[in-house]
Amino acid sequence: MMESIRFDAAGLVPVVIQDANTNEVLTLAYMNAASYHLTCETGEVWLWSRSRQSLWHKGATSGHTQRVVEIRLDCDRDALLVRVEPRGPACHTGATSCFFKPVLPASRKPDPPQAQLPVEKPAAVSTTPPIAPPEVKLVPHSALELGILLDELYALIQDRKANRPEGAYTTYLFTAGLDKILKKVGEEAAETIIAAKNDQRLELAAEMADLLYHLLVLMAACDVTPHDVAEVLRSRAGKRRPLPE
């Protein structure tokens, strides 16, 4: 099918990635000839990152790879539909799909008519006061999820550091060295600041995710573990720090 694809002037073709089991659209991305060949050869989704100008193995850093079930070419031969079995969320925010923000709500269907049920006599009301359930303090699910994801991501980064699989972005960072990693941390920190100033919540979350990832790469490069950072935070818990003059 390679010869039939009509790549644009930049050598790219848009790719719609769809869950083969649910038919939910997961993301829209781009492929060039190299990423298309890698996708066909490995059976997993490879893309072309326009922001990094490099090949991108989907899920290389998160572990959320996508196994290819089928590839379809549209009638004009200038777009691809890739149906996959995802191994985890498709979006870097942790959402199942990148298309989770409604813009134009679907029209609300009228409620179905209520069936006329027979009127029942009210049951006897107990005068005994109910026993109050014990108070349970829950940790927000998002905080637990973030901690688990960071642990999993750090383990994956450590594996990339040790094995250096070809084509992985994390491999590229470790190969480029500490100065490159520090530069990326600085760039992502600056982009996080800009997103915060622009009051863009989803954009800010995306930039924070990028910053956290590059910080974990820096930690691995310098042999600092999440446990080391957690111990510092735990030692500071409850301590009042002096205010800057």
Side-chain angles (χ1 to χ4, degrees):
M1 191 174 70
M2 178 67 186
E3 293 75 15
S4 302
I5 300 173
R6 295 173 57 187
F7 293 94
D8 63 16
L12 303 177
V13 62
V15 179
V16 176
I17 299 177
Q18 179 187 46
D19 190 316
N21 297 314
T22 66
N23 291 328
E24 183 177 11
V25 174
L26 301 178
T27 192
L28 171 67
Y30 291 85
M31 283 184 182
N32 61 3
S35 57
Y36 174 78
H37 276 303
L38 284 168
T39 298
C40 294
E41 290 172 3
T42 64
E44 292 188 347
V45 172
W46 282 74
L47 301 165
W48 176 257
S49 171
R50 294 181 298 168
S51 60
R52 295 194 296 263
Q53 289 293 293
S54 63
L55 289 171
W56 167 29
H57 181 194
K58 178 66 176 173
T61 56
S62 66
H64 301 150
T65 55
Q66 297 173 337
R67 189 182 74 82
V68 176
V69 174
E70 182 184 22
I71 299 178
R72 298 182 187 179
L73 183 62
D74 82 331
C75 57
D76 292 325
R77 299 186 291 116
D78 59 0
L80 294 175
L81 173 67
V82 180
R83 305 184 73 240
V84 304
E85 289 183 351
R87 301 183 180 103
C91 185
H92 68 277
T93 63
T96 300
S97 167
C98 293
F99 298 95
F100 58 83
K101 185 179 174 101
V103 178
L104 182 64
S107 58
R108 184 176 182 274
K109 294 181 180 179
D111 295 330
Q114 298 293 322
Q116 296 296 322
L117 300 177
V119 178
E120 297 180 354
K121 294 182 179 180
V125 179
S126 172
T127 57
T128 304
I131 300 174
E135 182 181 358
V136 179
K137 294 183 179 180
L138 297 177
V139 177
H141 175 69
S142 57
L144 289 172
E145 184 179 20
L146 179 60
I148 293 170
L149 285 173
L150 290 179
D151 281 343
E152 292 176 349
L153 181 54
Y154 185 78
L156 182 65
I157 289 170
Q158 288 281 48
D159 179 75
R160 294 287 192 266
K161 179 184 177 182
N163 299 313
R164 308 289 175 97
E166 186 177 353
Y169 176 64
T170 312
T171 297
Y172 158 73
L173 289 175
F174 283 124
T175 303
L178 181 61
D179 286 347
K180 181 63 176 179
I181 296 171
L182 293 172
K183 180 181 178 183
K184 289 301 299 181
V185 170
E187 290 175 356
E188 298 302 340
E191 291 174 5
T192 299
I193 293 170
I194 293 170
K197 292 291 288 183
N198 291 339
D199 195 24
Q200 297 292 327
R201 180 175 173 273
L202 291 179
E203 181 184 346
L204 178 58
E207 296 299 346
M208 286 179 168
D210 291 342
L211 177 58
L212 284 172
Y213 158 73
H214 286 92
L215 282 173
L216 288 173
V217 173
L218 177 60
M219 289 166 60
C222 297
D223 295 323
V224 175
T225 69
H227 175 75
D228 296 331
V229 178
E231 284 299 307
V232 174
L233 291 174
R234 188 175 292 109
S235 69
R236 294 176 179 175
K239 293 183 179 179
R240 182 174 298 177
R241 306 188 70 184
L243 295 174
E245 296 181 358

